[in-house]
Amino acid sequence: MYDGDVLRENWRRPGKGKIPQVPAEPDLVVEDAESGFCGAVVACDKEAVTLEDRFGRRRLFPLAPAAFLLDGKVVTLTRPAAAAAAREPRRSASGSITVEGLRARVARQSRIYVEGVHDAALVEKIWGHDLRVEGVVVEYLEGVDDLPAIVEEFGPEPGRRLGVLVDHLVPGSKESRIAAQVTSPDVLVVGHPFVDIWQAVKPSVLRIPAWPDVPRGVPWKEGVIAALGWRVEPADAWRRILGAVSTYADLEPELLGRVEELIDFVTEAS
């Protein structure tokens, strides 16, 4: 519980009011203001901080302005001066510390399902190292229309969990109505607001000002390609998009948080 309203200081607009800057020293306990994840600092580099909660779960968060709470007060975490001078550990594309000499863990019974092959390719490119460390297999569904039946066939139970990543999971959408039919405590369905996983890539990575709006009735991928004037087939467009992505910093936060959440869910207590 915090005294007063933590939002009254315009915490999402650091130019308004004075937001303290606090070095992200090891063992400093803070809370991510957006997700509520609370943990101690275990690693920090120039772009992100890794927190570990009391259950041993670790999450990576960008060093965004006014993004954390310290003793209930909004703060901006900064990279410690000593850490900047020290030799940095190698990090994977997701920002996690790499496990040197890794041999992939035997696959868990738990799984992560994504909608399509493009989703699976993007998750593998950014989180592949983490997934091999944890022994988590990612499979794709080719859509979520039959999700309740797919979940029933999977047979979720404790130690055999299922995480599902859904495109365009927003209130009132077809996807949200389908997801609401899945009620097993051993299944977690999360999603991002984008019409397609392509939109989870920041436009700046592709040197475009924004993802174009596509009129209703026009296939989304084809409409995007036409609006951008690329003159390629969707498969070639996707290769261009995926090839431009190298780290988690190239992706929108709405996707980053959801994938991290799924990995935590399927590896917890299993």
Side-chain angles (χ1 to χ4, degrees):
M1 299 293 292
Y2 304 116
D3 294 332
D5 183 359
V6 299
L7 301 181
R8 69 173 180 263
E9 300 179 50
N10 293 307
W11 67 281
R12 281 301 186 193
R13 299 180 62 191
K16 298 289 186 179
K18 297 180 180 179
I19 306 298
Q21 293 191 349
V22 179
E25 300 286 356
D27 299 325
L28 177 73
V29 177
V30 295
E31 178 182 338
D32 174 59
E34 182 174 353
S35 68
F37 186 92
C38 183
V41 174
V42 294
C44 184
D45 61 22
K46 63 182 179 180
E47 295 182 334
V49 62
T50 301
L51 304 182
E52 181 177 293
D53 71 6
R54 60 193 180 94
F55 301 107
R57 295 175 298 193
R58 294 189 176 190
R59 293 278 298 276
L60 184 79
F61 298 97
L63 288 176
F68 299 91
L69 301 177
L70 176 62
D71 296 329
K73 303 295 184 181
V74 178
V75 298
T76 295
L77 290 187
T78 62
R79 188 184 187 197
R87 180 180 180 273
E88 294 185 6
R90 290 185 59 194
R91 290 189 175 273
S92 70
S94 72
S96 64
I97 297 175
T98 58
V99 178
E100 301 296 340
L102 170 68
R103 294 184 64 183
R105 175 175 173 164
V106 174
R108 300 172 185 263
Q109 293 188 62
S110 299
R111 292 286 188 273
I112 291 176
Y113 285 174
V114 298
E115 283 206 47
V117 65
H118 291 180
D119 308 66
L122 187 59
V123 169
E124 165 60 27
K125 184 162 189 179
I126 301 302
W127 288 274
H129 177 82
D130 309 57
L131 295 169
R132 283 183 282 279
V133 170
E134 298 290 353
V136 176
V137 174
V138 174
E139 302 178 13
Y140 64 92
L141 302 172
E142 297 184 350
V144 294
D145 289 354
D146 298 322
L147 183 60
I150 291 170
V151 169
E152 183 177 0
E153 181 181 357
F154 179 81
E157 60 184 15
R160 182 180 168 82
R161 286 181 155 188
L162 179 61
V164 184
L165 180 68
V166 177
D167 297 343
H168 198 230
L169 191 63
V170 296
S173 67
K174 176 192 73 173
E175 291 82 1
S176 67
R177 292 190 293 271
I178 293 172
Q181 300 174 42
V182 179
T183 58
S184 169
D186 296 305
V187 179
L188 176 64
V189 181
V190 300
H192 53 73
F194 310 117
V195 174
D196 189 276
I197 197 68
W198 290 16
Q199 283 184 305
V201 177
K202 292 179 178 178
S204 59
V205 175
L206 299 166
R207 299 183 180 180
I208 60 176
W211 286 102
D213 293 325
V214 177
R216 287 184 177 274
V218 177
W220 192 84
K221 290 184 174 69
E222 286 78 359
V224 165
I225 292 169
L228 294 176
W230 282 359
R231 297 185 180 180
V232 295
E233 294 298 319
D236 296 319
W238 172 243
R239 280 191 284 271
R240 177 184 297 186
I241 295 166
L242 187 63
V245 173
S246 58
T247 76
Y248 70 94
D250 296 330
L251 304 181
E252 299 288 1
E254 293 90 338
L255 176 66
L256 294 174
R258 302 296 77 75
V259 176
E260 296 282 353
E261 189 177 354
L262 289 177
I263 294 174
D264 287 346
F265 180 78
V266 299
T267 57
E268 183 181 46
S270 60

